[in-house]
Amino acid sequence: MENLNRVLGIHIIYKDDKIPSMPNFIHARYRMQRVALDGKDVVFLYPKAELDAVSAIKKHIDRIQKTMGMPVVLVPEYLTYRQKEYLLREKIPFIVDGKQIYLPFMAIYLQERCDGERQTTETMLPSAQLLLLYYIYHGCGELPTSEASDRLGFTPTSISRASKQLEEMGLIHTEKRGVKKVLLSEKNPEEMFAMARDYFRNPVKRVIYVPKAEMNEKLLISGYHALSEYSMLNSPTVIALASDSIAAWEGVSSKQLQSSEDQYALELWRYDPKKLSDGEYVGRLSLAISLRDDRDERIEEAVEEMLAQVWRDIDGKRN
């Protein structure tokens, strides 16, 4: 614990005070030690084996803290990057000697690299983005991956890879419930969308312009035309359509708009927009992401109006 004194100037005193009786499941998992940090009484909690899931650790600490009436600090020998992120998110105090110090009750957070720490991927895989948006529409909370996989048409490999990336980004965590795997978060949909904002990729990869006479397939309406449906924005002259494949129209398309009356703007999407839509228009969350770089105040206001209605609709389904 040299870092506490050497780096932070915190004086630590180990006490021999007797620990009150605790349930067997606590004694089986941890060794407890009362200490004083600059005169403040706390309990150091030393795991005897591999860490349990953070949700379980939180319950254990709550039980000890209620009995002892003082902060409890987890003191593992090491933490992985993912474990550290989960502990931070749950505001669980911890110390990894020489590496990590997180004492929120003393407003202290000092870190070096975790064991096995990796750089967080800056942008999401299309499958991870699709999964997270579906999770948000679901209302967050708990969602079996099997339900999401069936709805989104994911293979077991795809759903595993997508959920793993979302975990590594610190957006959700997962738990095993028997044979089922469940996505979990305490964030509400609006908070989750805001937290993931910097990770989202624009679902639109590129745009071509296709003669209306050549459009023989029913595609979802996207872009400003869709936004006008979801807000008070006036409808534009050019209608945008969305698809995850535009190969059928490449031969009759142009890169530039030649006629707003005779052409559609055809957007190539990174994922199938129909998977998050139940009507004629692309999903509102995907639409908001696709338009977030537009700095026109009218567009920004319309997007905010649309998102406000999304949160109301989701809350209405949950209540």
Side-chain angles (χ1 to χ4, degrees):
M1 295 296 168
E2 292 181 4
N3 269 15
L4 284 173
N5 185 263
R6 178 173 56 82
V7 178
L8 299 173
I10 296 175
H11 187 53
I12 179 170
I13 298 175
Y14 291 88
K15 297 187 173 184
D16 295 326
D17 298 9
K18 186 178 180 181
I19 300 293
S21 177
M22 295 286 173
N24 287 334
F25 69 85
I26 297 287
H27 285 296
R29 289 172 168 82
Y30 309 101
R31 178 174 68 84
M32 288 174 279
Q33 170 77 60
R34 286 190 61 172
V35 303
L37 301 179
D38 276 353
K40 184 175 183 63
D41 287 337
V42 305
V43 177
F44 276 3
L45 198 63
Y46 299 89
K48 293 181 178 180
E50 293 255 343
L51 289 177
D52 288 326
V54 172
S55 58
I57 294 172
K58 189 173 189 302
K59 292 177 182 177
H60 300 160
I61 287 178
D62 287 345
R63 178 67 177 270
I64 297 169
Q65 194 162 290
K66 185 177 181 180
T67 301
M68 300 286 289
M70 61 186 69
V72 177
V73 179
L74 187 69
V75 189
E77 291 185 0
Y78 68 91
L79 285 176
T80 65
Y81 174 75
R82 189 180 303 177
Q83 287 170 331
K84 182 200 74 173
E85 291 299 303
Y86 288 167
L87 292 171
L88 288 172
R89 185 170 58 203
E90 297 296 339
K91 295 182 173 59
I92 296 174
F94 61 85
I95 296 174
V96 181
D97 197 15
K99 294 181 179 180
Q100 313 281 324
I101 301 172
Y102 176 58
L103 305 173
F105 55 89
M106 299 178 74
I108 291 172
Y109 179 34
L110 177 70
Q111 68 168 330
E112 294 179 11
R113 290 180 66 84
C114 295
D115 298 84
E117 181 171 351
R118 297 185 295 175
Q119 292 295 321
T120 302
T121 305
E122 291 186 355
T123 53
M124 288 184 190
L125 296 167
S127 58
Q129 185 160 319
L130 194 60
L131 175 59
L132 185 61
L133 293 179
Y134 179 75
Y135 179 65
I136 292 172
Y137 281 124
H138 174 78
C140 294
E142 298 187 4
L143 174 66
T145 56
S146 57
E147 176 185 328
S149 183
D150 290 343
R151 176 65 176 81
L152 299 174
F154 281 174
T155 63
T157 300
S158 295
I159 193 73
S160 176
R161 189 180 179 195
S163 59
K164 182 178 180 181
Q165 187 186 45
L166 295 179
E167 273 196 286
E168 290 175 347
M169 288 177 165
L171 297 171
I172 55 100
H173 57 280
T174 63
E175 286 186 3
K176 292 285 288 184
R177 303 278 179 81
V179 297
K180 289 186 177 181
K181 185 177 181 182
V182 180
L183 305 183
L184 298 165
S185 173
E186 294 182 359
K187 301 291 184 182
N188 65 40
E190 186 174 2
E191 291 170 339
M192 179 64 72
F193 189 74
M195 188 165 68
R197 186 179 297 274
D198 291 338
Y199 293 113
F200 285 134
R201 300 179 71 183
N202 189 330
V204 181
K205 295 175 67 175
R206 62 190 181 96
V207 180
I208 60 175
Y209 297 91
V210 177
K212 291 182 178 180
E214 298 290 340
M215 185 55 63
N216 52 13
E217 184 177 335
K218 183 71 172 177
L219 299 178
L220 296 181
I221 298 172
S222 182
Y224 301 121
H225 199 84
L227 184 60
S228 69
E229 178 66 21
Y230 294 134
S231 67
M232 298 298 291
L233 185 73
N234 291 330
S235 178
T237 56
V238 180
I239 298 176
L241 303 176
S243 177
D244 62 338
S245 176
I246 61 174
W249 299 280
E250 293 274 16
V252 295
S253 68
S254 62
K255 294 182 179 180
Q256 302 294 327
L257 178 65
Q258 297 170 344
S259 171
S260 59
E261 294 183 359
D262 300 326
Q263 288 179 305
Y264 289 118
L266 181 57
E267 300 174 344
L268 174 60
W269 277 44
R270 300 181 190 278
Y271 48 82
D272 185 354
K274 293 179 180 178
K275 292 183 177 181
L276 294 176
S277 174
D278 295 320
E280 299 179 60
Y281 301 87
V282 297
R284 290 173 287 180
L285 296 182
S286 293
L287 180 60
I289 297 168
S290 74
L291 298 176
R292 67 180 179 180
D293 292 331
D294 192 314
R295 294 297 177 238
D296 186 312
E297 289 185 4
R298 295 170 301 168
I299 302 302
E300 291 179 339
E301 289 177 3
V303 169
E304 289 303 315
E305 177 187 345
M306 175 180 68
L307 288 176
Q309 186 60 51
V310 172
W311 312 138
R312 288 193 292 269
D313 290 347
I314 293 175
D315 285 343
K317 291 179 182 178
R318 296 168 68 189
N319 296 331

